[in-house]
Amino acid sequence: MVTDELGLFNERHTDHGQYRSAGGRRASRRRRGRRITVWLSVLVVLALIGGGVWFGLTQVLGIDLFGYDDYSGSGERDVVVEIPTGASTGEIAKRLLDDGVVASTKAFVKAAEGDSRVLGIQPGYYIMRTKISGRDAVARMLAPDAKKGQLEIRAGWQLDDLTKPDGSIEPGIVKRLADASCAQLNGASTCVPVEELRKVAATADLTALGVPDWAVPDASKLEPQRRLEGLILPGVYDVRPGATAEQLWQKVIAESSARLQVAGMPKVAADTGFTPYQVLIMASLIEREGIEKDFPKVSRVTYNRLAEGMKLEYDSTINYVLDRPAIRTRPEDRARAGAYNTYANTGLTPGPISAPSREAIQAAAKPADGTWLFFVRCEKNGLSCFANTAQEHQQNVERAQANGAY
């Protein structure tokens, strides 16, 4: 019995040991599985990080880790490439690659190394050739005539050309936009004629052109050729060679509308007692009647004369219709009938007469404090003398004439 019991005990003990050995093997397999999973996760993370580093080096910074492709020869055809504001050398290279100019980003980046002029490449449109070497692409972008489509608008300019006292012509905004559209692209001119631009400006839907909602109702009432006057603010614009007349206007008006917002329009007119469009009209008058230092005072005279029911009698409104930049007007000019004649009509002109600056818009919204009703340019540097009475004003006129300023 003892033997049997011990034997039975030993047998059971042996079986129990076998059970423990099997359980241990299963636990070990689970631990190994977890280790494999961890290592796979680590490998995946490392692969993702490596891929991100590779993408950043090759696609953003233009560094090709395995050499690079490059073209040779004079290229195949002309293409317009747009360089955005703030583009790095690598980003410029990516643009050129996307437009088929270079064979790889590295081709351009490598050719640009050591040439500090590349850092000065300005945003805008460039005429390039497809399938040229990185070195040729750098040379073309740095060429003086590479950049096309730049339009500069200065404060006080108007849509139409001006005839100066000496008979020379000062191109207006329309003519300058036509000139900016010009380039040679694959042997053909991209120039948009002045007549096409005038037709679109006179007939196209103002909302479709991008004119701000607050300006559309009043601008629509103007003579067709004057609808866009005052809505193109001063500044530098980049227009794409090869664009249509409508696309050119849309590009310029969209950027100008953004500048109007920066200047505070239309909210800036809220406490003036005038509509935003009327403030724009006043700003255009202020721009043509004085220099920046006098803008707030000229604005106050405008407010005061309107409040008194007095005619503005601004020579700039007479010369606007005559397309002349002169300071003074002749009696026969002032006698001409017309909606823009502020010697004959009370109130503001129907529309703006020039491209107002941001400073002129701010002055139109916030005039200086004062009771002046008159002013005249009395100094050769453009400064005006202001007066409360007609008698004081006459004395200022005589002073201006003595100074040779009027």
Side-chain angles (χ1 to χ4, degrees):
M1 292 292 295
V2 173
T3 302
D4 289 342
E5 288 179 358
L6 290 173
L8 180 60
F9 170 79
N10 289 337
E11 182 180 355
R12 289 177 178 175
H13 179 74
T14 302
D15 289 344
H16 181 66
Q18 290 175 347
Y19 294 153
R20 289 182 62 187
S21 177
R25 286 195 297 273
R26 285 195 294 272
S28 177
R29 283 197 297 270
R30 285 197 296 271
R31 285 194 295 271
R32 285 198 300 272
R34 284 196 295 270
R35 285 197 294 269
I36 292 172
T37 301
V38 170
W39 279 110
L40 286 175
S41 299
V42 170
L43 290 174
V44 169
V45 171
L46 289 175
L48 290 173
I49 293 174
V53 172
W54 177 87
F55 180 85
L57 291 174
T58 59
Q59 303 302 313
V60 178
L61 298 180
I63 300 174
D64 195 326
L65 301 178
F66 305 101
Y68 61 92
D69 294 326
D70 201 1
Y71 291 123
S72 61
S74 59
E76 292 186 347
R77 61 183 179 83
D78 294 331
V79 63
V80 179
V81 177
E82 181 181 8
I83 302 301
T85 301
S88 65
T89 302
E91 289 168 336
I92 293 174
K94 185 65 167 55
R95 287 274 177 155
L96 296 175
L97 176 64
D98 291 343
D99 289 335
V101 175
V102 294
S104 64
T105 57
K106 183 66 176 290
F108 181 83
V109 172
K110 192 71 176 176
E113 286 180 356
D115 194 334
S116 60
R117 295 175 301 167
V118 173
L119 300 176
I121 292 176
Q122 298 297 306
Y125 296 96
Y126 292 79
I127 303 297
M128 303 294 288
R129 296 280 291 174
T130 59
K131 295 187 177 181
I132 58 175
S133 69
R135 186 175 298 277
D136 285 346
V138 170
R140 280 180 173 271
M141 293 211 75
L142 295 177
D145 62 344
K147 192 170 184 291
K148 302 295 183 181
Q150 189 170 85
L151 169 68
E152 181 181 5
I153 303 298
R154 295 183 182 176
W157 283 359
Q158 62 186 59
L159 292 174
D160 292 335
D161 299 345
L162 293 176
T163 303
K164 296 182 177 180
D166 62 2
S168 62
I169 302 298
E170 177 73 36
I173 294 174
V174 178
K175 177 64 167 61
R176 292 177 185 276
L177 180 56
D179 291 344
S181 73
C182 290
Q184 287 293 318
L185 202 60
N186 297 306
S189 172
T190 65
C191 294
V192 175
V194 168
E195 294 73 21
E196 278 190 40
L197 289 169
R198 291 192 188 282
K199 181 179 179 181
V200 171
T203 61
D205 180 86
L206 292 179
T207 300
L209 288 181
V211 173
D213 293 342
W214 54 264
V216 170
D218 292 304
S220 299
K221 299 173 184 176
L222 300 178
E223 297 173 82
Q225 73 272 21
R226 305 193 192 282
R227 299 190 310 163
L228 298 182
E229 196 75 86
L231 294 170
I232 314 298
L233 263 56
V236 176
Y237 299 82
D238 289 306
V239 295
R240 187 181 187 89
T244 65
E246 185 171 7
Q247 290 169 338
L248 290 171
W249 280 123
Q250 287 173 334
K251 178 70 161 56
V252 171
I253 292 173
E255 290 188 22
S256 183
S257 296
R259 293 176 188 185
L260 281 166
Q261 287 185 321
V262 171
M265 295 292 279
K267 293 181 180 179
V268 74
D271 298 324
T272 64
F274 296 94
T275 68
Y277 196 73
Q278 287 174 323
V279 169
L280 186 69
I281 293 173
M282 279 195 283
S284 74
L285 299 177
I286 293 166
E287 189 71 58
R288 291 291 290 272
E289 284 291 325
I291 62 174
E292 184 179 334
K293 186 175 181 180
D294 284 335
F295 282 174
K297 289 185 176 181
V298 174
S299 179
R300 173 50 64 191
V301 171
T302 305
Y303 273 74
N304 289 346
R305 291 180 76 92
L306 291 173
E308 292 290 333
M310 300 172 66
K311 296 180 177 67
L312 292 180
E313 298 183 349
Y314 287 170
D315 288 342
S316 60
T317 64
I318 303 296
N319 289 323
Y320 168 68
V321 177
L322 299 175
D323 295 327
R324 289 194 317 224
I327 297 175
R328 302 183 64 177
T329 55
R330 298 187 293 263
E332 58 269 29
D333 296 330
R334 295 192 294 271
R336 290 171 180 261
Y340 285 81
N341 187 336
T342 56
Y343 279 87
N345 305 305
T346 302
L348 295 169
T349 53
I353 66 169
S354 71
S357 62
R358 180 178 179 179
E359 292 75 18
I361 292 173
Q362 292 173 341
K366 295 181 179 180
D369 293 331
T371 57
W372 311 290
L373 290 171
F374 306 89
F375 70 93
V376 63
R377 188 170 299 182
C378 59
E379 301 291 345
K380 285 189 175 181
N381 62 6
L383 284 172
S384 295
C385 294
F386 295 80
N388 294 314
T389 67
Q391 183 178 359
E392 292 174 352
H393 177 60
Q394 184 57 40
Q395 293 173 352
N396 287 337
V397 170
E398 293 171 2
R399 173 185 171 184
Q401 292 171 340
N403 290 338
Y406 180 69

